[in-house]
Amino acid sequence: MQKINKNVVLALLSLTSLVFLLFQLYYYKFYLSQKNGAVFSKVRGSQSGQDSTRWHVVRKFLGLISSHNIPVYLIDPLILRLVDKDIEQIRSSPDGPSPECKYFCAPRDFTTFALLDKTWKHEVGLFRTAEKMGFQWLKIVNKDPRLDGMDDLSGTEIPLHYIFKLASHAIHLVVFYERSGNYLWHGPLRLKQHMDRKFVPFRKLHFGRHPGAYEKPELLHVSIDDLKVQIPKNPSSFLEEMSHSRFLECRYKEARAFFQLYPDDASLDAVEFRKKAKSLLHLAALTLNNLGVKFWLSSGTCLGWYRQCNVIPHSKDVDLGVFIRDYKADIIPAFQKAGLPLKHKFGKVDDSLELSFQGEDDVKLDIFFFYEEDDHMWNGGTQAKSGKKFKYLFPKFTLCWTEFVELKVHVPCETLQYVEANYGPDWKVPVKMWDWKSSPSNVQYNGVWPVEEWDDVIQIY
Amino acid sequence: MDEWKPNPAIKPHKKRSWYLAWKYKLMNQRALRKLCQTGAVLFLLVTVIVNIKLILDTRRAAYEEEEESAQDYDDEMLNVEVPRHPVNNKKVLDVEVYSSRSKVYVAVDGTTVLEDEAREQGRGIHVIVLNQATGHVMAKRVFDTYSPHEDEAMVLFLNMVARGRILIFTVKDEGSFHLKDTAKNVLKSLGSQVAPFLSWRDMWTFVGKKGGEVYGEKHAKSPALSTWGDPVLLKTEVHLTSVEDAECHWPDTELTRRRKRFCSKVEGYGSVCSCKDPTPIEFNPDPLKDNKVFDVPVAVIAGNRPNYLYRMLRSLLSAQGVNPQMITVFIDGYYEEPMDVVELFGLSGIQHTPISIKNARVSQHYKASLTATFNLFPDAKFAVVLEEDLDISVDFFSFLSQSIHLLEEDESLYCISAWNDQGYEHTAEDPSLLYRVETMPGLGWVLRKNLYKDELEPKWPTPEKLWDWDMWMRMPEQRKGRECIIPDISRSYHFGIVGLNMNGYFHEAYFKKHKFNTVPNVQLKNVESLRKDAYETEILRLLGEAEVLDHSKNPCEDSFVPDTEGRVYVMFIRMEQEADFTTWTQLAKCLHIWDLDVRGNHKGLWRLFRKKNHFLVVGVPASPYSSKKPLSVTPIYMEPPAKEEGAVA
């Protein structure tokens, strides 16, 4: 009885395992039949035997684009990281044959290239040739952000991403557009409803989760793994740029709605102030960028960007934020050299630092330095006559790029929280009378400077 | 025998030993078996677990994949394509056509494609063209054949419609008064029985296929001069043909695909859609050597005049040195047909949601277009601004390429324009000659980016100000004393006769006889002399050389200028101060040039040609050139007519 029982159990178990084995085979077949080993291989983590596939696909792709005279450059972060380590050697022998396949043979799903939109137009022929060569391709188009603005324009959608797939490898071609403010922009990758979501494992792409902004890179012709490609001249700075490249578009739709409610001030004074504020911002950006000091639009200037995509005409100054860790002693002389004398300096590097520079005709440039705590950030304020200190608290934020008055500048990515912290929930309503000591909703009284420090922490010129 | 008896003592022993061995074996085996069994069970269990895990993993991966793409990479906007016309696979269309004094309508398969019951509007013959395969409306026109010449336009239009198309006619109010025999014969040739006898205030509807069958016709005669015919309603059926029959068999190329798309949607563009010998839509004019404007963006400002746009783009794309990639057409409104024209030529088009009304709408459209142009081409220092009702000269880009450096270098310049306001057939002569003028002519011009970005854009008139953008740009607050460079012979031609500020009479009087350069590759002469100071030297030299005309004669008479060629003449008119244009306006009037406001002046000096002689007019004493006037000469004064006349453009 017992024996029979055991046999039955044994047989049952064998049967079950057989069923599972069949299941496994079925799954394997299912994924193979999709010509898409990605999902499966991701689970298994084994991709042996793909090494040369990648190299061949890249070579074919480079052949394809060079036959159409399309200048692309390599922006694949994984390869650039490897290249960066050997950059000296690669630079010194740009045509030297490589002894081994070092860069293009690491098994990956993708290799990423960039394309400058204005260097290329005729795509029909390219796709035809690509198909002949065995590539499957996918084109992702979307709205042209350069038409976004206060005017309601709509044009032909523009290509943002191309994916060329051959065998188990895919080439991701990111289209970069030049935009006002002398920078390059690439769009997000968004699939439309009818698109094949399984074409490639999209979420593994290095570009496309967000739109991004980049400087125009200098390019270098190199030969790596016997493939001639162009790469950014300085791969490490490109990689650094890539890690904070996220771009936010101004909220033009909301801005239009704002101006419906509160018509824009079109007076000559407003026009003049905007013009001055714009040129002051351009000058400040140039100066700080030259010093390598990262800054963002803060306070009223940030509100202007977020709420109305323009300078608020009654704001009377330009406000920038800088992390105190990026503070440099050269900032003051650099601004003076640029024609912006120091107007006042409050606080010190350790505490509540704030600099003000005098721009053209009463337009003032305020630089607030931000101090980071465990769970928040803050900047300080000082009342000159009483030596009172104030603290403005902000939730933690990161920086994103945006375009403002034809300038590529940073803003807090979490702009709404930032603006709400500063201006409260009614930030959408314009306020002409603003008291920096009491109006902000995030202000805290922070004691008084000791009188003996006044000469140092309250400097007015 | 006993011996053979089994020994019980041994037997048990033997038995026991066997049993023991067996037992031992058995025990051993059982342990082994147990071990095996347990091992097998464990192994199988592990396999099962691993398998389950594998399946779950795979499932999850696949699911996440979907989830991921759904969340991160999904387009939030649904791109729902709205078909232009309900797609029907039916082979028969029901057509209803109504004609009456105050209302016309046409319904195709229950969808109203034309309805006009506005008072004082839409008089005449309404024509609708349907695609014979799809039933889509391809063109809609109304010809006011109560008025003269409209019947000619109708004949022209009907001749352009391709064979096989379905034509629908209906009369509103009156359509026969100026319907001449030619037009009646064309209608007759389409199969109409009534058209030749259509008379005063008759109502008439007709549906037929061009070059084929007649689907129906109804007519109601007007009983008396003072009354209209009874309303007529024609209901008929139209049999659709197959798509293949409705299309031409052009070779399959990228160009053809564009053409096919266009021709299946719209009608009235003549031989573009001709099956046998279609007119080209790609022109490949000669490139320009050393083209300095190859990378300058070209903004074409358009409204809803697709036929004009078609003509304009043809001439633009035929101009030497054109770079189609830099051309953007900005359409004021969501009109389909202009966009179809843009796509036919493979150009990029942008539609703009209209803001405000009338002049302010045009002005806002200009602003949006210029802003977008500089956004799309952030590298550009200039933009060429064109309008949809201009012909572009073959050497337009050559003209700009030779002069654009001035706009970059000379701060005293406001623009370069292809248009000379005073360049009529009888007053312009030299294609290589350029002028500096204080008025901004527009009509094909180049705008400097920093002028736009720093000065014009920030204070551009807001929508509630109903200003003309060009008038605004001419205001001293904007122009700030700067001048424009213009050619003697215009590089653009204004052909539009319908428009916001335009009508046939006005066009005939002021634009029709404008001179337009048709000579390719004109080498401009002495371009450097157009710089601020050099130009003064040049003017003084000209005045020094000029012969003073006989001021006792009437300047309006032809004999005022001697019958010579190639000479330089000067006359002096009275001009008390800078803004005194009394005499100039009278002179302009009698010379049949632009007299609606002052154009083409430079410091109280006008330059034009008369009888092929260069003819200078100096306003004394306001002009700084008055010093060139001989003492003996009295400046001519011309009295304005007593009663105020003349409209404002």
Side-chain angles (χ1 to χ4, degrees):
Chain A
M1 198 56 197
Q2 207 186 16
K3 269 181 199 171
I4 292 166
N5 245 351
K6 275 180 189 166
N7 282 338
V8 169
V9 168
L10 209 67
L12 267 177
L13 279 171
S14 308
L15 199 73
T16 333
S17 73
L18 201 72
V19 167
F20 275 112
L21 191 74
L22 284 173
F23 234 122
Q24 204 173 347
L25 276 172
Y26 168 76
Y27 257 77
Y28 185 67
K29 207 180 143 195
F30 177 71
Y31 278 101
L32 272 193
S33 70
Q34 280 215 332
K35 275 196 189 170
N36 185 350
V39 173
F40 186 69
S41 57
K42 183 167 66 191
V43 174
R44 299 300 296 258
S46 92
Q47 286 182 326
S48 56
Q50 276 196 11
D51 302 18
S52 60
T53 318
R54 185 191 195 185
W55 186 85
H56 281 290
V57 172
V58 171
R59 198 187 56 152
K60 258 195 156 171
F61 174 73
L62 290 173
L64 167 72
I65 55 118
S66 73
S67 71
H68 282 78
N69 281 321
I70 304 168
V72 300
Y73 57 98
L74 185 74
I75 51 167
D76 196 291
L78 302 174
I79 298 181
L80 286 184
R81 214 160 283 151
L82 294 173
V83 164
D84 190 44
K85 285 183 195 144
D86 312 333
I87 190 73
E88 288 312 319
Q89 190 197 336
I90 290 170
R91 267 193 202 139
S92 58
S93 59
D95 295 314
S98 8
E100 52 182 329
C101 185
K102 212 169 152 184
Y103 309 100
F104 286 110
C105 289
R108 297 276 177 251
D109 293 316
F110 296 102
T111 309
T112 317
F113 286 89
L115 166 66
L116 283 186
D117 155 70
K118 67 169 184 180
T119 55
W120 174 66
K121 280 287 183 255
H122 311 283
E123 56 178 33
V124 183
L126 176 78
F127 291 137
R128 209 164 292 156
T129 324
E131 277 164 14
K132 270 184 207 149
M133 291 170 85
F135 281 104
Q136 289 175 280
W137 55 269
L138 183 75
K139 172 171 145 184
I140 285 119
V141 297
N142 217 325
K143 277 197 333 207
D144 189 340
R146 297 168 302 178
L147 297 179
D148 265 350
M150 297 317 292
D151 304 298
D152 200 354
L153 297 176
S154 65
T156 326
E157 297 200 322
I158 51 169
L160 300 179
H161 297 263
Y162 294 101
I163 291 168
F164 293 88
K165 188 170 80 172
L166 185 67
S168 57
H169 193 70
I171 304 288
H172 179 198
L173 187 57
V174 184
V175 189
F176 281 81
Y177 289 85
E178 208 172 310
R179 293 187 52 177
S180 297
N182 203 28
Y183 67 99
L184 298 181
W185 172 91
H186 77 74
L189 193 153
R190 298 287 177 270
L191 297 174
K192 300 226 162 118
Q193 281 216 320
H194 56 89
M195 281 180 172
D196 179 7
R197 263 134 238 278
K198 297 255 165 67
F199 187 71
V200 286
F202 286 103
R203 68 166 179 168
K204 289 173 115 189
L205 293 173
H206 298 290
F207 289 81
R209 191 169 289 262
H210 305 294
Y214 291 80
E215 293 300 304
K216 290 182 201 166
E218 271 189 87
L219 297 179
L220 186 69
H221 281 274
V222 294
S223 168
I224 47 181
D225 292 345
D226 292 329
L227 294 175
K228 287 194 169 41
V229 288
Q230 289 199 85
I231 57 166
K233 201 167 185 178
N234 190 339
S236 61
S237 69
F238 180 84
L239 291 168
E240 162 64 20
E241 224 187 329
M242 189 183 157
S243 58
H244 342 86
S245 64
R246 186 173 167 195
F247 181 87
L248 297 180
E249 212 65 67
C250 198
R251 303 153 69 245
Y252 290 105
K253 227 170 104 188
E254 286 82 355
R256 277 203 292 271
F258 173 81
F259 284 124
Q260 290 279 315
L261 274 177
Y262 310 101
D264 200 9
D265 182 356
S267 67
L268 217 60
D269 284 353
V271 168
E272 274 305 300
F273 174 73
R274 280 190 170 145
K275 201 175 150 185
K276 283 177 204 152
K278 179 180 164 183
S279 67
L280 180 61
L281 191 57
H282 274 251
L283 187 60
L286 184 72
T287 312
L288 290 172
N289 288 340
N290 283 342
L291 289 173
V293 173
K294 199 193 275 181
F295 69 93
W296 64 91
L297 305 183
S298 192
S299 307
T301 313
C302 184
L303 178 65
W305 170 78
Y306 191 66
R307 187 172 69 188
Q308 51 206 71
C309 299
N310 206 340
V311 173
I312 301 176
H314 54 261
S315 59
K316 302 300 168 214
D317 50 19
V318 171
D319 304 313
L320 302 180
V322 171
F323 287 123
I324 195 67
R325 60 166 186 264
D326 294 327
Y327 173 79
K328 284 183 179 161
D330 308 347
I331 291 179
I332 297 170
F335 272 107
Q336 270 159 348
K337 223 171 144 189
L340 299 175
L342 187 65
K343 189 165 185 244
H344 57 239
K345 179 185 173 192
F346 292 136
K348 49 189 182 179
V349 176
D350 300 339
D351 186 9
S352 304
L353 184 65
E354 178 192 339
L355 301 175
S356 260
F357 297 93
Q358 185 61 58
E360 205 191 327
D361 307 304
D362 278 0
V363 185
K364 177 164 72 93
L365 172 72
D366 291 328
I367 301 182
F368 303 106
F369 289 86
F370 278 64
Y371 298 82
E372 197 168 348
E373 305 293 338
D374 287 340
D375 60 345
H376 68 279
M377 315 232 190
W378 62 275
N379 73 300
T382 299
Q383 190 180 25
K385 63 173 194 281
S386 65
K388 278 184 191 159
K389 283 162 72 183
F390 299 91
K391 204 172 187 179
Y392 302 88
L393 304 185
F394 291 91
K396 283 208 161 189
F397 57 86
T398 51
L399 294 181
C400 279
W401 290 113
T402 192
E403 184 183 311
F404 186 59
V405 293
E406 287 146 73
L407 205 58
K408 175 190 151 208
V409 285
H410 275 126
V411 286
C413 299
E414 299 80 8
T415 328
L416 178 62
Q417 285 93 306
Y418 190 87
V419 167
E420 274 191 339
N422 216 178
Y423 294 96
D426 292 331
W427 56 271
K428 279 186 184 170
V429 183
V431 179
K432 290 219 172 172
M433 294 310 294
W434 184 257
D435 180 12
W436 60 271
K437 299 180 296 301
S438 58
S439 301
S441 55
N442 58 340
V443 66
Q444 269 185 10
Y445 185 62
N446 192 24
V448 184
W449 289 105
V451 181
E452 63 273 17
E453 278 191 57
W454 280 29
D455 281 351
D456 185 34
V457 299
I458 305 175
Q459 297 179 23
I460 298 178
Y461 299 91
Chain B
M1 279 294 277
D2 268 353
E3 280 156 30
W4 291 102
K5 250 184 126 179
N7 189 345
I10 291 168
K11 201 186 172 185
H13 170 75
K14 259 194 176 168
K15 216 181 179 176
R16 188 178 291 139
S17 68
W18 181 84
Y19 173 76
L20 277 176
W22 180 241
K23 195 180 168 189
Y24 175 73
K25 256 189 184 168
L26 208 73
M27 270 168 66
N28 236 2
Q29 244 179 9
R30 197 174 282 160
L32 195 75
R33 213 157 125 176
K34 248 198 179 135
L35 204 76
C36 281
Q37 272 178 357
T38 325
V41 168
L42 270 176
F43 176 76
L44 285 173
L45 271 176
V46 167
T47 319
V48 167
I49 288 167
V50 164
N51 272 296
I52 288 177
K53 196 173 152 16
L54 173 70
I55 288 171
L56 286 179
D57 272 0
T58 324
R59 269 272 161 93
R60 204 183 53 217
Y63 177 72
E64 269 177 13
E65 199 74 21
E66 264 167 53
E67 189 82 334
E68 188 75 26
S69 41
Q71 279 175 1
D72 249 21
Y73 292 104
D74 253 16
D75 198 351
E76 63 281 8
M77 269 196 335
L78 287 184
N79 239 16
V80 185
E81 287 234 334
V82 184
R84 197 182 207 188
H85 196 275
V87 182
N88 43 24
N89 296 318
K90 222 171 74 174
K91 286 279 158 196
V92 178
L93 287 181
D94 295 320
V95 178
E96 257 178 65
V97 195
Y98 183 77
S99 164
S100 72
R101 176 194 170 185
S102 56
K103 177 182 178 175
V104 287
Y105 77 81
V106 174
V108 177
D109 263 356
T111 311
T112 306
V113 295
L114 166 76
E115 185 162 28
D116 185 349
E117 45 186 337
R119 292 160 64 90
E120 321 276 327
Q121 262 181 39
R123 177 183 56 202
I125 303 180
H126 291 250
V127 186
I128 285 182
V129 184
L130 300 184
N131 185 303
Q132 68 271 41
T134 60
H136 287 179
V137 176
M138 301 181 73
K140 236 194 261 190
R141 299 281 191 281
V142 53
F143 301 97
D144 179 13
T145 42
Y146 170 81
S147 309
H149 303 303
E150 286 275 312
D151 61 333
E152 293 161 23
M154 184 173 80
V155 169
L156 210 66
F157 174 73
L158 291 176
N159 285 338
M160 280 199 290
V161 171
R163 269 179 73 88
R165 300 279 187 240
I166 293 149
L167 291 164
I168 302 173
F169 296 83
T170 177
V171 168
K172 184 181 178 189
D173 192 357
E174 212 302 307
S176 72
F177 191 52
H178 271 102
L179 191 68
K180 298 276 158 48
D181 284 347
T182 329
K184 286 180 173 170
N185 285 334
V186 169
L187 294 176
K188 192 181 163 197
S189 73
L190 289 170
S192 167
Q193 310 263 320
V194 178
F197 315 104
L198 195 67
S199 58
W200 178 249
R201 289 183 175 173
D202 284 359
M203 294 300 129
W204 173 63
T205 58
F206 173 73
V207 181
K209 178 179 253 184
K210 187 167 178 187
E213 53 200 301
V214 172
Y215 298 108
E217 182 166 30
K218 263 193 179 171
H219 176 230
K221 208 147 178 50
S222 156
L225 269 184
S226 59
T227 52
W228 283 263
D230 291 332
V232 292
L233 175 62
L234 171 67
K235 287 186 180 182
T236 182
E237 283 186 345
V238 169
H239 294 268
L240 294 176
T241 55
S242 72
V243 176
E244 291 73 37
D245 292 346
E247 274 184 353
C248 298
H249 302 284
W250 294 309
D252 185 39
T253 63
E254 167 63 15
L255 281 186
T256 305
R257 246 165 275 154
R258 285 191 338 229
R259 193 192 291 274
K260 264 193 178 152
R261 217 180 106 76
F262 182 78
C263 294
S264 69
K265 283 175 90 177
V266 292
E267 257 296 352
Y269 292 83
S271 52
V272 178
C273 298
S274 144
C275 283
K276 265 192 187 150
D277 185 22
T279 189
I281 53 171
E282 202 176 52
F283 306 94
N284 301 314
D286 295 337
L288 275 186
K289 259 186 225 153
D290 191 22
N291 186 352
K292 300 216 167 56
V293 290
F294 191 74
D295 290 331
V296 174
V298 177
V300 178
I301 314 289
N304 191 17
R305 295 181 289 176
N307 284 279
Y308 282 9
L309 185 62
Y310 172 78
R311 171 172 168 179
M312 188 274 163
L313 291 177
R314 275 184 67 106
S315 77
L316 176 63
L317 292 170
S318 309
Q320 292 179 355
V322 68
N323 179 359
Q325 292 192 10
M326 300 303 284
I327 300 174
T328 316
V329 181
F330 293 92
I331 300 162
D332 190 14
Y334 286 86
Y335 304 113
E336 275 189 65
E337 200 168 320
M339 204 62 182
D340 293 334
V341 171
V342 172
E343 281 166 9
L344 170 72
F345 290 113
L347 300 174
S348 60
I350 287 168
Q351 291 168 314
H352 176 212
T353 308
I355 306 168
S356 195
I357 48 157
K358 289 189 177 167
N359 299 353
R361 173 170 167 181
V362 175
S363 167
Q364 293 310 306
H365 182 52
Y366 254 89
K367 186 191 180 193
S369 306
L370 297 176
T371 302
T373 301
F374 289 120
N375 274 339
L376 288 169
F377 302 96
D379 275 353
K381 284 188 202 147
F382 307 100
V384 174
V385 186
L386 301 174
E387 285 157 49
E388 68 183 340
D389 53 3
L390 296 178
D391 279 330
I392 300 304
S393 165
V394 65
D395 81 328
F396 179 77
F397 291 104
S398 155
F399 157 71
L400 294 181
S401 176
Q402 293 175 66
S403 55
I404 197 144
H405 64 283
L406 295 176
L407 192 57
E408 190 168 3
E409 293 157 14
D410 187 345
E411 287 288 311
S412 70
L413 286 180
Y414 198 46
C415 76
I416 296 177
S417 175
W419 179 259
N420 177 4
D421 284 303
Q422 310 295 18
Y424 291 85
E425 289 286 357
H426 60 290
T427 56
E429 213 49 60
D430 186 350
S432 67
L433 185 62
L434 303 177
Y435 302 137
R436 276 179 84 105
V437 296
E438 288 168 19
T439 51
M440 202 212 85
L443 300 179
W445 56 290
V446 186
L447 170 67
R448 194 165 48 206
K449 181 179 182 174
N450 61 8
L451 170 67
Y452 181 68
K453 280 287 168 189
D454 298 344
E455 299 183 36
L456 303 179
E457 189 188 30
K459 54 177 178 175
W460 196 274
T462 45
E464 68 277 4
K465 297 201 175 92
L466 304 181
W467 286 351
D468 276 316
W469 69 273
D470 51 343
M471 292 297 177
W472 177 78
M473 271 193 74
R474 285 178 192 129
M475 277 154 52
E477 297 91 310
Q478 275 66 252
R479 193 171 63 82
K480 294 180 180 160
R482 289 169 291 194
E483 295 185 297
C484 288
I485 287 184
I486 60 163
D488 179 50
I489 299 182
S490 299
R491 262 47 175 200
S492 59
Y493 178 76
H494 185 265
F495 63 76
I497 55 169
V498 277
L500 192 56
N501 301 322
M502 190 57 70
N503 58 54
Y505 164 74
F506 188 65
H507 186 266
E508 188 117 353
Y510 289 104
F511 290 101
K512 202 165 181 190
K513 298 233 166 83
H514 231 98
K515 200 156 188 173
F516 175 61
N517 180 54
T518 50
V519 183
N521 289 317
V522 175
Q523 186 68 41
L524 302 179
K525 76 182 170 210
N526 217 354
V527 176
E528 294 311 307
S529 73
L530 270 297
R531 289 177 194 273
K532 192 172 192 253
D533 298 333
Y535 194 66
E536 295 312 310
T537 320
E538 172 68 11
I539 296 292
L540 291 175
R541 185 193 65 78
L542 261 179
L543 285 169
E545 178 189 311
E547 295 166 50
V548 179
L549 288 164
D550 182 353
H551 281 57
S552 62
K553 288 185 178 167
N554 181 355
C556 294
E557 297 287 327
D558 218 28
S559 58
F560 185 68
V561 177
D563 293 322
T564 53
E565 268 188 33
R567 309 281 273 274
V568 184
Y569 294 112
V570 60
M571 76 172 282
F572 299 91
I573 59 169
R574 201 199 287 177
M575 184 175 166
E576 295 300 340
Q577 9 79 25
E578 244 182 271
D580 171 21
F581 299 113
T582 323
T583 304
W584 166 256
T585 308
Q586 295 316 308
L587 183 65
K589 202 162 278 189
C590 75
L591 292 180
H592 300 290
I593 56 177
W594 187 271
D595 61 357
L596 299 179
D597 55 4
V598 181
R599 301 275 175 98
N601 50 316
H602 166 82
K603 297 188 178 177
L605 166 88
W606 287 264
R607 297 175 66 179
L608 39 128
F609 280 84
R610 277 183 86 174
K611 294 185 185 170
K612 306 203 170 178
N613 300 296
H614 202 18
F615 177 69
L616 311 177
V617 181
V618 178
V620 179
S623 169
Y625 310 121
S626 303
S627 57
K628 290 283 170 182
K629 182 184 75 70
L631 284 174
S632 58
V633 169
T634 312
I636 290 177
Y637 174 69
M638 293 167 81
E639 192 97 22
K643 89 175 170 191
E644 270 301 311
E645 60 165 337
V648 174

